[in-house]
Amino acid sequence: MKKEKIFCLQKIIQIIEHFWEKNGCTIVPSLDIPIGAGTFHKETFFNSISSKKFSRIYLQACRRPSDSRNGKSNSRLQHYYQIQVVINPPPKDIQKKYINSLKALNINPKIQDIKFIEDNWENKTIGASGVGWEVRVNGMEVTQFTYFQKMANLECNPSTVEITYGLERIAMHIQNKNNIYELIWNEKLNEKIKYKEIFLYNEIEQSLYNLKKSNIKEILNFFKKNIKESKRLILLKNPLIFPSYEHLLLSIHQFNLLESRKHFSIIERQNYIYKIRNLSKLIAIKYCIKNNINYKKK
């Protein structure tokens, strides 16, 4: 039997990007500010509330301070990578295309156990939700499939499909590793660069910052200033929509930092989420007005 090639993580990224590029997606850069999920990227947020045709793919670093484990967890990180494929309208054969992308990584559905398990997705801060499935390969979740029904509490018509590849988990499956830090990031000549060489000390220091050393008072000030600036920019006579959205994203990251320090009571947490969600809706509505997009609140 032919032995399948085991890809390093750098090659996995290239294969997925190349696969979707061949299937009509435009590769766009990642967002250059901290965000908790690839869905927050402006390409997904704004295009999902438009009915225009689009297809994008991007590699996005994500930060979730509450997932900090001081570099001691084999499978959980506060900083990790996703590849997002976002297409509107969704192709009828999107599931087949996704399976073919796994085949390109030498994940054979005739040999591996691939399951789609219902898992509807929701993010309360940007008012996003949709029906979806998590995809498991041999029991490990490697992908989230979502058809957005709502973004910024506005109806998505048609629904936009988003495929989120969890890169580290896919690599753990392909390389048969049970520890993220032992993943091979790149191979050159006879040298193998491991994930831990690039990310471990960053993970340790960022975890320390997220869980113990961040200045709560200052983070709270940053949060309030970013909310205030986001509002100012979106309420200008000629709103600056994208700068306003970026300040909103910064405030969400600061909210996540405060949450990792357990700063909020349950009621306070809901109030902060409500404040962020209302602002995200206002930004989305201003975007629709500026671009002559008919929108419908859900």
Side-chain angles (χ1 to χ4, degrees):
M1 182 182 291
K2 181 183 176 184
K3 188 176 181 180
E4 299 289 2
K5 180 173 175 55
I6 296 174
F7 298 115
C8 66
L9 219 159
Q10 181 172 297
K11 188 65 178 176
I12 290 170
I13 294 169
Q14 293 168 352
I15 289 171
I16 297 174
E17 287 184 336
H18 181 59
F19 176 88
W20 287 104
E21 184 185 23
K22 284 199 303 180
N23 280 275
C25 287
T26 299
I27 301 174
V28 294
S30 62
L31 212 58
D32 58 350
I33 55 179
I35 55 176
T39 301
F40 290 17
H41 195 294
K42 61 184 175 62
E43 287 287 338
T44 297
F45 182 82
F46 290 109
N47 284 324
S48 294
I49 54 180
S50 167
S51 58
K52 72 178 182 181
K53 186 177 179 181
F54 78 98
S55 53
R56 303 282 189 269
I57 179 169
Y58 52 87
L59 171 67
Q60 182 64 53
C62 301
R63 294 190 185 207
R64 292 186 185 173
S66 295
D67 283 342
S68 298
R69 295 295 184 273
N70 301 304
K72 294 179 179 177
S73 171
N74 289 347
S75 58
R76 182 168 287 190
L77 302 166
Q78 59 83 40
H79 177 279
Y80 56 93
Y81 289 92
Q82 295 177 340
I83 282 186
Q84 307 284 128
V85 177
V86 194
I87 305 175
N88 186 9
K92 291 180 179 178
D93 61 346
I94 186 66
Q95 188 177 27
K96 181 180 178 182
K97 281 188 167 70
Y98 168 73
I99 294 294
N100 285 338
S101 75
L102 296 184
K103 289 179 181 176
L105 296 169
N106 289 336
I107 298 176
N108 188 339
K110 292 182 179 179
I111 299 173
Q112 313 295 336
D113 180 26
I114 301 175
K115 289 181 178 174
F116 285 69
I117 299 170
E118 185 174 349
D119 183 28
N120 298 333
W121 191 85
E122 181 180 22
N123 184 284
K124 292 181 179 178
T125 53
I126 57 169
S129 62
V131 296
W133 300 263
E134 66 176 43
V135 183
R136 295 183 185 178
V137 177
N138 295 342
M140 179 188 288
E141 182 186 355
V142 297
T143 299
Q144 172 74 30
F145 242 87
T146 305
Y147 287 84
F148 290 125
Q149 296 173 305
K150 193 166 64 173
M151 184 65 78
N153 272 353
L154 304 183
E155 184 177 331
C156 298
N157 187 21
S159 295
T160 293
V161 67
E162 179 193 63
I163 303 171
T164 301
Y165 293 84
L167 284 175
E168 284 86 351
R169 289 191 173 190
I170 288 176
M172 287 174 76
H173 169 77
I174 289 174
Q175 297 181 17
N176 194 28
K177 304 284 187 185
N178 58 16
N179 185 330
I180 288 173
Y181 298 106
E182 293 302 317
L183 290 173
I184 306 300
W185 179 270
N186 188 28
E187 292 177 282
K188 54 180 183 179
L189 300 177
N190 294 321
E191 185 184 9
K192 292 182 178 179
I193 309 296
K194 288 189 175 182
Y195 197 89
K196 63 183 177 185
E197 293 179 53
I198 304 174
F199 298 107
L200 178 56
Y201 286 105
N202 177 68
E203 191 69 16
I204 292 170
E205 291 198 356
Q206 297 287 1
S207 293
L208 186 61
Y209 173 77
N210 294 337
L211 299 178
K212 292 184 177 179
K213 298 296 184 182
S214 58
N215 184 323
I216 292 177
K217 184 179 177 182
E218 285 302 312
I219 300 280
L220 192 57
N221 284 337
F222 293 152
F223 173 86
K224 291 176 180 176
K225 286 179 180 177
N226 276 306
I227 289 287
K228 184 178 178 181
E229 182 68 352
S230 178
K231 277 184 184 174
R232 187 185 72 82
L233 294 169
I234 205 62
L235 292 175
L236 291 173
K237 184 178 180 182
N238 293 308
L240 295 177
I241 292 165
F242 293 107
S244 173
Y245 182 63
E246 290 195 356
H247 279 284
L248 178 76
L249 293 182
L250 289 170
S251 75
I252 293 174
H253 178 60
Q254 284 137 15
F255 168 82
N256 291 337
L257 280 169
L258 291 167
E259 192 162 56
S260 72
R261 297 293 304 274
K262 305 186 188 310
H263 174 70
F264 304 117
S265 68
I266 294 174
I267 293 175
E268 281 179 326
R269 184 177 185 275
Q270 290 304 317
N271 287 339
Y272 275 81
I273 290 174
Y274 185 72
K275 188 180 295 186
I276 295 168
R277 189 168 60 221
N278 279 350
L279 189 50
S280 74
K281 184 198 288 188
L282 178 60
I283 293 168
I285 289 173
K286 293 285 186 178
Y287 174 81
C288 290
I289 292 171
K290 195 169 186 176
N291 292 280
N292 296 316
I293 296 169
N294 291 323
Y295 64 91
K296 183 177 178 182
K297 299 176 184 177
K298 287 207 79 175

